[in-house]
Amino acid sequence: EIVLTQSPGTLSLSPRERASLSCRASQSVSANFLAWYQQKPGQAPRLLIYGASDRATGIPDRFSGSGSGTDFTLTISRLEPEDFAVYYCQQYGLSPWTFGQGTKVEIK
Amino acid sequence: QVQLQESGPGLVKPSETLSLTCTVSGGSIGGYYWSWIRQPPGRGLEWIGWIGYIHDSEKTENSPSLKNRVTTSLDTSKNQFSLKLRSVTAADTAVYYCARGQSFFDYWGQGIVVAVAS
């Protein structure tokens, strides 16, 4: 199965700063079938990005995804207070679908 | 707006079967794929499996790590889908989510906490 490694484990930033989250796959993710989710405490994950770079419905344009092959990035251009959360990447190019271990974005 | 709601017991004894149902409202279950995902306490997400009723045919796939213990089913008349996980252990303690999608997941239930303990 494809192992996804997210880094850093925790990102300490201030509101209005830019966040870059990395997701590295143990083998190439076919057709860039990679998604990103945001999860806040006590809530279900929320789909942000699919197909590595396509924003899901209703997601603000400060969220963007990029990358291909084995290296993917989620960028939040300017952090809003509601963006402090845990972010997961997920690949769906090769079954079984797998998730990264998550990156926590916390207020500095 | 599609909404999903998990239901089932919050406590299951070791070696017994965990049974959960997801009720879908705001849209038909037919023509879409539906999934189960779980999250052990303080940990990340694990995909369990997907099921769909597409072109008058039921299709399903489950994670190999759970494959022999998992059964999923659909009831289009009730707009529900279900999960059964047999021979549970403490390692199956988790928040269980149902979600819409075969590959990535755009609508999620709120999750249900299931503890495995005697």
Side-chain angles (χ1 to χ4, degrees):
Chain A
E1 70 179 43
I2 294 179
V3 176
L4 299 178
T5 302
Q6 292 187 241
S7 61
T10 301
L11 198 51
S12 298
L13 294 168
S14 301
R16 297 180 298 281
E17 286 196 291
R18 181 184 184 89
S20 289
L21 286 65
S22 173
C23 177
R24 180 161 291 176
S26 59
Q27 59 187 278
S28 184
V29 177
S30 65
N32 294 335
F33 284 157
L34 188 111
W36 289 93
Y37 299 86
Q38 176 194 69
Q39 187 177 34
K40 296 179 181 179
Q43 296 185 17
R46 172 193 180 197
L47 177 67
L48 300 174
I49 301 286
Y50 62 94
S53 60
D54 293 323
R55 267 188 303 276
T57 302
I59 301 303
D61 60 6
R62 65 179 180 274
F63 291 92
S64 63
S66 62
S68 63
T70 61
D71 289 301
F72 299 88
T73 300
L74 175 70
T75 301
I76 311 171
S77 60
R78 187 180 162 89
L79 283 164
E80 297 289 338
E82 62 267 28
D83 298 337
F84 292 92
V86 178
Y87 292 83
Y88 293 96
C89 57
Q90 177 231 335
Q91 68 81 23
Y92 52 96
L94 179 68
S95 184
W97 314 151
T98 50
F99 291 86
Q101 82 281 15
T103 289
K104 182 179 181 180
V105 179
E106 65 175 23
I107 299 176
K108 188 174 181 181
Chain B
Q1 175 80 349
V2 175
Q3 293 185 311
L4 296 85
Q5 178 70 58
E6 304 89 351
S7 59
L11 180 64
V12 182
K13 290 182 168 53
S15 79
E16 295 190 344
T17 296
L18 179 162
S19 296
L20 297 176
T21 296
C22 183
T23 302
V24 178
S25 59
S28 173
I29 203 171
Y32 289 95
Y33 292 97
W34 306 89
S35 291
W36 291 97
I37 297 129
R38 70 180 183 179
Q39 186 169 33
R43 298 183 61 184
L45 300 158
E46 179 184 13
W47 170 69
I48 297 171
W50 57 256
I51 188 167
Y53 192 73
I54 309 294
H55 304 307
D56 299 325
S57 172
E58 187 175 287
K59 304 178 192 303
T60 184
E61 181 176 351
N62 300 316
S63 174
S65 66
L66 297 170
K67 195 171 188 176
N68 293 336
R69 298 197 290 133
V70 170
T71 301
T72 53
S73 60
L74 273 174
D75 186 337
T76 54
S77 67
K78 294 182 180 177
N79 232 34
Q80 295 176 333
F81 61 104
S82 298
L83 168 71
K84 290 189 187 299
L85 180 63
R86 295 178 292 279
S87 304
V88 297
T89 70
D92 295 310
T93 293
V95 178
Y96 285 77
Y97 295 102
C98 59
R100 189 179 80 170
Q102 177 194 31
S103 49
F104 60 88
F105 316 110
D106 56 357
Y107 289 97
W108 294 64
Q110 66 186 27
I112 184 168
V113 177
V114 180
V116 177
S118 53

